[in-house]
Amino acid sequence: MFRFQRTPLRRRAALAAALVLTGSIALAACGGGDDDAGGQATQAQAVSQADIDKAMSTPTELTFWTWVPNIQKEVALFQKKYPAIKVKVVNAGQGEPQYTKLRTALKSGTGFPDAVQIEFQYIPTFALTKSLMDLRPYGAAALKDQFVPWTWQQVVGSGGEVWAVPQDSGPMGMLYRKDIFDKHGIAVPKTWDEFAAAARKLHAADPNVYLTNLAPNQAGVWFGLLWQAGVKPFENPSQDTVKINLADDGSKKLADYWNGLIKDGSVSADPDFTDAWYQALNRGKYATWLTAAWGPVFLESSAKATSGKWRAAPLPQWDGSKQVSGNWGGSTTAVVQGTKNPIAAAKFAEFLNTDPESTKMFATEQFLFPVKKDLLADPSFTQLKPAFYGGQTVNQQFADISNTVDTNFEWPPFLDQAVNDWDETVGKSFADKSDTKAALDQWQQRMTSYAQNQGFKVEGQ
């Protein structure tokens, strides 16, 4: 059905992880490594089918780090096809805790897995530190057409490298309380102007209800809204260069919009994923939740008292003549540089996320939102009618939304720092009801200084 993204961008990285990463970034940004004169990685020679066949029939044990519950079921399908390969599944933490352990293991040169689950937004960080294996020599480039284009672009490097195989995603939409909308005569807003008008109308009619909540601890939502607005906050034109545009006109338009609604009290700014936030969802404090494709199944388990009252719709649009969305969440399976079993690990990552039975199981048992085109067109997935949403085909809604996500959004190679600085500038401005445009300028300055201190050439404002 859906996916609950368990680690949206909301927690700060541990200090130890930041220290390990900082040293690695500086070395990677300043070193030439194996790159050619053009700054792009040289592609390794393709592995022959004979070598693949030999590796997949040779007794081997792989270690796989992941936080997906009950993934042993999908792993069992792989082991059934390749009985010589045994896979040890390890839950080394969820999101950032796992990344901290991975960095520590890589730095020590021991104890790291062969394959690992990595969220989209962390691919550039681990690619920069040369921690991931380019999967092109193992045939990964041929997988491209199976995936929704924007999800594939998330795993491709500036030199054409394929750093991972997509597993799930989080295209953003709007879940809304139909009963509250009906009670106050509010039509589903098609544009952000209509959304603002509805927010003011609703809160004036009932001061205890807000059209939505914009969490000050949730950088993931802000990135998703930037993505939808066509803003390119970060770009990575080469290994040692980063473009930083955090306070451009598009960002400030977004800042003006949300700052205005929060300051006049029409939209709340409560921290999310807290006990108070869960209680607020259940008692109807928020009439919408701007969330991702994993949000519907999460809401079913977290706001059971509201069953039957919710519906799904696309995000409101800046241009009413177009349908555009952003993304919040999603992950991949990557192969760790230094594995002693590169062929088996690469083929494991491929099988896990392309085999029809495995991917269908992810969608229907773990509720990961699909990234493969065939599943997003499969009526057995798209036409489910959950009672929690009044029988609406919510999967179809988000499948349609997935086709409207821009392919060109990029993440910085120092995501932990970007999120930490967002919390202390932009997020803080929401909580304090202070000047968000000024906070964007602070975020820009902090990130520019940080990147330069790590040895990057910085382009942008």
Side-chain angles (χ1 to χ4, degrees):
M1 195 181 301
F2 320 95
R3 194 260 170 114
F4 166 30
Q5 172 68 16
R6 298 174 184 275
T7 52
L9 290 166
R10 70 180 187 270
R11 299 186 184 93
R12 298 182 184 177
L15 178 59
L19 291 174
V20 171
L21 179 60
T22 298
S24 301
I25 283 179
L27 291 172
C30 296
D34 297 325
D35 291 356
D36 59 22
Q40 293 184 343
T42 302
Q43 183 176 356
Q45 186 175 354
V47 175
S48 70
Q49 187 59 49
D51 286 340
I52 292 173
D53 293 341
K54 180 180 179 181
M56 301 311 287
S57 59
T58 299
T60 305
E61 181 174 294
L62 299 176
T63 299
F64 174 41
W65 286 9
T66 176
W67 56 79
V68 174
N70 301 317
I71 200 171
Q72 192 65 53
K73 293 182 179 180
E74 287 85 351
V75 171
L77 297 174
F78 171 80
Q79 293 179 141
K80 182 178 180 181
K81 183 173 182 179
Y82 301 105
I85 313 294
K86 305 303 178 186
V87 181
K88 180 182 179 182
V89 177
V90 176
N91 186 335
Q94 211 166 330
E96 290 170 6
Q98 177 197 263
Y99 303 146
T100 300
K101 292 177 183 177
L102 180 59
R103 291 169 183 141
T104 301
L106 287 167
K107 188 177 183 182
S108 69
T110 184
F112 53 83
D114 300 281
V116 62
Q117 183 174 357
I118 294 182
E119 293 161 292
F120 286 139
Q121 63 268 21
Y122 277 93
I123 292 291
T125 296
F126 283 98
L128 177 71
T129 55
K130 300 183 180 179
S131 303
L132 306 181
M133 196 170 74
D134 182 2
L135 300 179
R136 287 178 296 175
Y138 310 94
L143 306 176
K144 176 181 178 180
D145 291 342
Q146 297 186 39
F147 294 91
V148 176
W150 72 266
T151 66
W152 184 256
Q153 198 59 36
Q154 290 286 297
V155 302
V156 175
S158 60
E161 306 90 346
V162 178
W163 295 123
V165 183
Q167 184 168 95
D168 63 284
S169 66
M172 288 185 69
M174 180 177 69
L175 302 181
Y176 67 94
R177 284 282 298 267
K178 184 178 184 298
D179 58 325
I180 295 176
F181 275 36
D182 289 349
K183 177 181 178 180
H184 294 280
I186 296 172
V188 177
K190 305 293 186 185
T191 68
W192 286 113
D193 284 344
E194 291 176 359
F195 187 90
R200 293 183 171 108
K201 174 183 176 181
L202 175 61
H203 194 60
D206 187 345
N208 295 314
V209 180
Y210 298 85
L211 188 62
T212 203
N213 177 69
L214 190 66
N217 63 325
Q218 194 51 267
V221 172
W222 186 256
F223 278 119
L225 293 173
L226 289 174
W227 196 330
Q228 189 217 16
V231 177
K232 303 292 188 294
F234 297 99
E235 295 177 77
N236 305 287
S238 68
Q239 186 185 41
D240 64 352
T241 303
V242 61
K243 293 183 179 180
I244 303 177
N245 290 295
L246 304 176
D248 62 1
D249 290 344
S251 297
K252 290 194 171 179
K253 177 181 178 180
L254 207 60
D256 269 339
Y257 181 86
W258 289 105
N259 194 231
L261 289 172
I262 290 171
K263 278 187 172 181
D264 70 18
S266 302
V267 164
S268 59
D270 304 329
D272 62 3
F273 301 99
T274 65
D275 288 343
W277 182 79
Y278 291 124
Q279 292 166 13
L281 279 174
N282 275 282
R283 71 171 184 269
K285 180 179 179 180
Y286 315 126
T288 74
W289 183 25
L290 306 179
T291 188
W294 46 262
V297 73
F298 168 76
L299 199 61
E300 280 193 58
S301 61
S302 301
K304 293 180 180 179
T306 62
S307 180
K309 299 177 180 180
W310 292 89
R311 301 292 186 274
L315 288 178
Q317 300 294 308
W318 292 107
D319 180 346
S321 67
K322 300 177 182 178
Q323 278 295 319
V324 184
S325 191
N327 180 72
W328 174 20
S331 59
T332 72
T333 306
V335 176
V336 177
Q337 190 68 258
T339 174
K340 295 178 180 179
N341 307 292
I343 295 176
K347 288 302 172 182
F348 170 71
E350 176 182 327
F351 178 94
L352 199 65
N353 300 306
T354 61
D355 176 76
E357 191 175 354
S358 177
T359 54
K360 185 69 171 288
M361 197 178 290
F362 276 137
T364 57
E365 294 196 20
Q366 282 100 353
F367 307 118
L368 308 189
F369 193 78
V371 289
K372 288 193 70 208
K373 295 176 183 177
D374 59 352
L375 264 177
L376 291 174
D378 185 344
S380 69
F381 173 74
T382 61
Q383 298 308 302
L384 291 173
K385 298 178 179 181
F388 190 90
Y389 295 94
Q392 184 187 19
T393 53
V394 179
N395 285 349
Q396 183 67 66
Q397 283 279 338
F398 280 95
D400 293 342
I401 290 169
S402 184
N403 290 323
T404 69
V405 177
D406 184 6
T407 61
N408 296 317
F409 192 88
E410 297 183 46
W411 298 99
F414 32 73
L415 186 73
D416 290 335
Q417 189 68 36
V419 172
N420 183 71
D421 286 352
W422 184 90
D423 287 345
E424 295 178 358
T425 57
V426 181
K428 189 173 186 297
S429 76
F430 297 149
D432 296 346
K433 297 187 177 181
S434 57
D435 188 344
T436 300
K437 287 200 294 186
L440 285 176
D441 289 332
Q442 294 168 10
W443 192 26
Q444 173 76 30
Q445 292 165 6
R446 289 173 66 151
M447 291 310 305
T448 298
S449 295
Y450 179 84
Q452 290 172 338
N453 289 338
Q454 303 310 309
F456 288 95
K457 299 173 186 175
V458 178
E459 299 178 0
Q461 296 177 329

